Amino acid sequence: MSTRRTIQIDPVTRIEGHAKISIHLGPDGLVETARFHVTEYRGFEKFCEGRPFTEMAAITARICGICPVSHLLAAARTGDKILAVSIPPAAEKLRRLMNLAQIIQSHALSFFHLSSPDFLLGWDSDPQQRNIFGLISANPELARGGIRLRQFGQGVIEALGGRKIHAAWAVPGGVRAPLSAKTRDQITAGLPEAHAVVRQGLDVLKQLLDQHLREELHVFGEFPSLFLGLVGKGDRWEHSSGGDCAGVRVMDSDGSVVADGLSEDDYASYLSEAVEPWSYLKFPYFKALGPEAGSYRVGPLARLNLCERIGSEQADRELLEYRDRGGRVVTASFLYHLARLIEILACLEQMERLLDDPEILATHVRARAEVNCFEAVGISEAPRGTLLHHYCVDENGLIERVNLIIATGQNNTAMNRTITQIAKHDLTAAELAQPQLKEALLNRIEAGIRCFDPCLSCSTHASGSMPMRVQLFGADGALLDQVSRG
Amino acid sequence: MSAAKPRKRLATVWLAGCSGCHMSFLDLDEWLLELAQHADIVYSPVASDQKRYPPAVDIALVEGGVANSDNLALLKTVRANTKVLVSFGDCAIHANIPGMRNMLQGADPVLRRAYLDLADSSAQLPHAPGLIPELLDQVLPVHELVPVDVYLPGCPPSADRIRTVLEALLQDRRPDLSRAGEIRFG
Ligand code: SF4
């Protein structure tokens, strides 16, 4: 007799937001599919209507406290285009500097605080200890390093914008304040320690990948898909629009370029979003190929696939080694973790270069103008992937329409495929026959989500927080098991 | 001191906010190492795998307003099992940015915009009872639903102010934020 069931993990923890996972068993009693449910929605696209476009940076920064700088920069970029100005070169460089700082702090949080307890303490370690505080007791040096690295990134944001979170600093036309030589020197002084921490993180992770984490490479979301993101001129790694950016590239897993040099202005012609009734997170896809074949991944894994080189010495060396490990186009989602550490290194090297450029101290940092355009799209690479803000304004600059395409959402299909792959692999008939599923196995399924470092505050752009949970459902749709830990 | 003070049981809770208040908590940086010597983090979306809110929590920092049925249920559980509930940040205290949707008529307009107007042919309103919660008509501040013991405003409150409050509560004192500039919104 077939008894189909469902398992729930609720909430998913150590991710940035509110979510649940449900695992559905087929008539044969084996895992058929797993679903990632984002459980929150706030409604920014609607309630921003009527606000002056100059407020959008401050409002949309509150989409997400982890990567507020991404929204700040995308909103400012959209604002530049509404003013129809090119911003002063120093402002361009300062914005890039802040984006680098934010990628550093956000990636450090993802790796050291949220994900590393899984593989440093072990999948099946005590769930009470499997967190940053457990890491502090088990490996205080590494934990302290991670905390210091995040602090470095946050400190740069504070040095530029006056506060660590929700700094009101980038504005349409540029930034509010120039950089002083003293602050520049303070930032520079922090670089060597940051380098040392990321080096340590790379050594630890690579060693684990060589020894204990081989299986994870093949089970944690290893599949072909498209990859989408910004690239720089000369096929370099890129994180910001403007300057040397060569637009959006879409690449297939075999390395073929599906589309190149796409402009954010036309995003609606090549991106579309599907809705499923069981999640507040939509499913964006590359329109020409449809929801299935057109699903793509964004973020560190995509950015490293899309470029030929990073453009700085140490990061490029790591990139070569990374490709030896994962192939020219890396399709193993578990390597998001390694890609994140390589990006931190890239950010530190680019930061150093920017700080050496005398133009970064120029005091003309803001261009002023009236509303000159009524519609604009701004794009930026957030730590988790490509971010688009699209505003329509009236002649007074009041918002008439808003659309936001946010990084994490674009990984939605990939996250669902990843947890399905892990659940099918780990939840064997023998495991499913146990009266109670092993906590460690369910943690591994959650860890599949953690590879993507989803920021669910952001992703339902409009939504808020998410602890995560897992549920197991039968073929009749009846709820069979819920994971409640502890 | 004769007997060592028992360790406090600390929780952090995330309702409808942006996680910025939690990030500010993590901005305590190396003080977190010290905190770990005086308290056990028994529930936290960023620092624990505990799925159910545990009993007998001494201090809970609650971020965010109450925007959906899950937020509401969790908040009630938190209140019932917590000695000192801190309304943590502007969203918790006055609904803040998420509360901007309160000017519209109910939750419907915000849902329609995202899932009907800005979607492909699969456009529909998410609805899956038991899996995803329904939005409440209004986003409410925490104190409108349950009694609050301590208010810590800010968007987010700075790490320094979080520390001031935690240091007091760890020593069973009432936090004093009356110094210049310590009580501020935004
Ligand atoms: S108060 Fe501010 S920082 Fe805190 S959750 Fe709300 S919007 Fe985010």
Side-chain angles (χ1 to χ4, degrees):
Chain A
M1 218 190 77
S2 71
T3 50
R4 212 197 223 183
R5 345 180 261 160
T6 305
I7 306 165
Q8 272 210 12
I9 303 179
D10 176 12
V12 180
T13 41
R14 280 184 291 126
I15 59 168
E16 296 133 351
H18 293 299
K20 305 176 188 179
I21 289 172
S22 65
I23 302 159
H24 303 252
L25 306 188
D28 57 0
L30 295 175
V31 173
E32 193 172 75
T33 184
R35 283 176 177 168
F36 178 55
H37 307 273
V38 173
T39 58
E40 180 169 2
Y41 174 69
R42 282 175 293 165
F44 280 79
E45 289 103 329
K46 182 70 189 169
F47 65 58
C48 289
E49 286 174 5
R51 312 300 306 185
F53 78 101
T54 46
E55 278 183 8
M56 288 302 280
I59 295 175
T60 58
R62 269 78 181 179
I63 289 174
C64 176
I66 300 154
C67 52
V69 169
S70 305
H71 294 287
L72 191 67
L73 295 178
R77 175 69 67 203
T78 316
D80 300 342
K81 289 168 126 183
I82 288 175
L83 302 178
V85 294
S86 27
I87 68 171
E92 188 71 56
K93 289 182 174 156
L94 289 169
R95 284 187 188 174
R96 293 182 82 87
L97 183 62
M98 193 184 264
N99 204 30
L100 294 169
Q102 124 134 320
I103 295 173
I104 293 169
Q105 67 83 9
S106 173
H107 283 0
L109 170 75
S110 167
F111 183 76
F112 292 98
H113 298 63
L114 300 177
S115 282
S116 73
D118 283 329
F119 27 90
L120 289 171
L121 305 177
W123 303 111
D124 50 1
S125 58
D126 176 4
Q128 307 284 357
Q129 286 298 316
R130 199 176 48 214
N131 54 51
I132 181 69
F133 291 98
L135 193 65
I136 288 172
S137 340
N139 192 339
E141 198 202 331
L142 192 74
R144 187 186 295 268
I147 288 171
R148 296 274 297 165
L149 183 60
R150 177 173 176 276
Q151 186 179 15
F152 169 75
Q154 290 286 78
V156 174
I157 294 168
E158 185 178 31
L160 292 170
R163 55 195 282 183
K164 288 181 169 166
I165 299 166
H166 303 331
W169 173 77
V171 288
V175 301
R176 272 188 216 275
L179 177 67
S180 69
K182 186 167 161 243
T183 310
R184 178 199 55 193
D185 296 345
Q186 275 166 2
I187 298 173
T188 308
L191 285 168
E193 187 190 352
H195 265 286
V197 175
V198 73
R199 181 52 52 207
Q200 194 191 2
L202 279 164
D203 290 345
V204 166
L205 180 58
K206 284 193 278 187
Q207 203 179 8
L208 285 169
L209 285 167
D210 289 339
Q211 292 166 1
H212 307 293
L213 295 171
R214 290 174 170 278
E215 184 188 90
E216 284 73 6
L217 286 183
H218 302 293
V219 177
F220 278 53
E222 149 81 298
F223 46 76
S225 76
L226 301 179
F227 296 92
L228 179 145
L230 292 177
V231 280
K233 289 187 185 136
D235 295 315
R236 280 174 212 268
W237 177 78
E238 184 55 278
H239 61 90
S240 290
S241 62
D244 287 332
C245 179
V248 172
R249 173 174 290 175
V250 184
M251 185 183 263
D252 209 338
S253 296
D254 61 5
S256 59
V257 173
V258 176
D260 208 9
L262 298 173
S263 162
E264 65 271 23
D265 296 337
D266 314 318
Y267 80 95
S269 72
Y270 56 86
L271 296 184
S272 203
E273 293 187 279
V275 183
E276 292 283 359
W278 42 264
S279 182
Y280 283 116
L281 187 54
K282 289 191 276 188
F283 295 78
Y285 57 92
F286 186 63
K287 220 168 176 172
L289 296 179
E292 276 297 315
S295 78
Y296 57 90
R297 279 176 275 186
V298 295
L301 197 76
R303 287 191 291 257
L304 293 192
N305 281 340
L306 294 168
C307 69
E308 283 304 323
R309 66 191 69 79
I310 290 175
S312 59
E313 200 195 317
Q314 295 187 44
D316 268 327
R317 224 179 298 134
E318 290 296 332
L319 181 66
L320 283 181
E321 206 189 308
Y322 166 83
R323 286 177 176 169
D324 280 344
R325 191 182 294 274
R328 165 61 187 86
V329 178
V330 174
T331 51
S333 301
F334 196 77
L335 288 177
Y336 264 102
H337 293 301
L338 184 53
R340 238 167 246 128
L341 293 177
I342 296 171
E343 283 201 332
I344 296 179
L345 192 54
C347 289
L348 291 170
E349 287 182 302
Q350 297 222 349
M351 206 177 243
E352 196 166 357
R353 201 180 299 160
L354 269 173
L355 291 168
D356 277 346
D357 181 342
E359 196 170 37
I360 197 123
L361 298 180
T363 50
H364 178 50
V365 291
R366 184 169 181 179
R368 294 180 193 267
E370 301 284 307
V371 171
N372 286 306
C373 271
F374 299 120
E375 183 169 3
V377 181
I379 192 167
S380 180
E381 284 289 326
R384 294 159 189 78
T386 314
L387 166 68
L388 287 139
H389 280 204
H390 177 194
Y391 312 153
C392 297
V393 297
D394 67 12
E395 64 276 17
N396 298 313
L398 299 183
I399 296 280
E400 289 184 325
R401 294 276 286 194
V402 179
N403 192 19
L404 308 165
I405 306 250
I406 290 179
T408 292
Q410 299 166 81
N411 282 332
N412 200 0
T413 304
M415 288 190 284
N416 277 280
R417 289 176 72 177
T418 297
I419 55 174
T420 300
Q421 196 175 53
I422 304 171
K424 281 187 168 165
H425 178 269
D426 284 10
L427 301 183
T428 56
E431 293 291 353
L432 285 166
Q434 303 292 321
Q436 198 164 10
L437 286 168
K438 285 197 199 104
E439 192 272 346
L441 292 179
L442 296 167
N443 177 46
R444 280 165 60 88
I445 297 168
E446 291 181 68
I449 294 294
R450 289 182 204 119
C451 292
F452 294 86
D453 186 25
C455 180
L456 303 184
S457 297
C458 275
S459 58
T460 51
H461 12 308
S463 65
S465 44
M466 78 179 180
M468 191 143 108
R469 107 175 143 187
V470 179
Q471 292 184 322
L472 181 63
F473 288 102
D476 54 357
L479 179 63
L480 291 185
D481 201 355
Q482 288 234 34
V483 177
S484 36
R485 295 188 172 151
Chain B
M1 291 285 275
S2 47
K5 277 226 197 82
R7 293 166 65 78
K8 295 283 184 199
R9 289 163 61 77
L10 175 67
T12 77
V13 177
W14 185 354
L15 306 176
C18 77
S19 77
C21 292
H22 270 83
M23 292 305 115
S24 200
F25 170 76
L26 292 181
D27 283 337
L28 287 165
D29 296 325
E30 285 168 278
W31 193 73
L32 291 171
L33 308 179
E34 208 171 298
L35 175 66
Q37 294 176 2
H38 303 289
D40 291 319
I41 314 297
V42 293
Y43 182 91
S44 169
V46 293
S48 166
D49 275 349
Q50 177 70 34
K51 303 292 184 194
R52 294 279 165 265
Y53 195 81
V57 173
D58 293 302
I59 305 160
L61 300 175
V62 178
E63 171 194 311
V66 177
N68 66 36
S69 47
D70 279 6
N71 296 157
L72 184 59
L74 176 56
L75 179 61
K76 293 203 162 140
T77 311
V78 169
R79 181 65 280 182
N81 293 285
T82 309
K83 241 186 263 164
V84 180
L85 189 158
V86 182
S87 190
F88 179 36
D90 292 353
C91 290
I93 294 177
H94 60 71
N96 201 24
I97 301 277
M100 283 171 71
R101 79 163 161 87
N102 293 352
M103 294 176 294
L104 308 165
Q105 296 304 308
D108 211 43
V110 290
L111 289 168
R112 299 182 75 86
R113 172 52 48 85
Y115 302 104
L116 300 186
D117 303 349
L118 294 170
D120 70 358
S121 57
S122 64
Q124 60 189 306
L125 296 183
H127 178 71
L131 284 172
I132 59 169
E134 299 291 312
L135 298 198
L136 305 178
D137 275 351
Q138 300 264 299
V139 183
L140 296 174
V142 168
H143 68 268
E144 284 197 22
L145 295 156
V146 299
V148 163
D149 304 297
V150 174
Y151 292 86
L152 175 52
C155 180
S158 68
D160 283 346
R161 278 186 288 149
I162 298 172
R163 180 170 162 178
T164 304
V165 166
L166 285 178
E167 278 177 338
L169 294 177
L170 290 172
Q171 294 166 22
D172 297 310
R173 283 189 287 112
R174 269 203 84 72
D176 177 14
L177 287 175
S178 61
R179 273 182 304 164
E182 287 210 320
I183 297 185
R184 58 181 292 272
F185 289 89

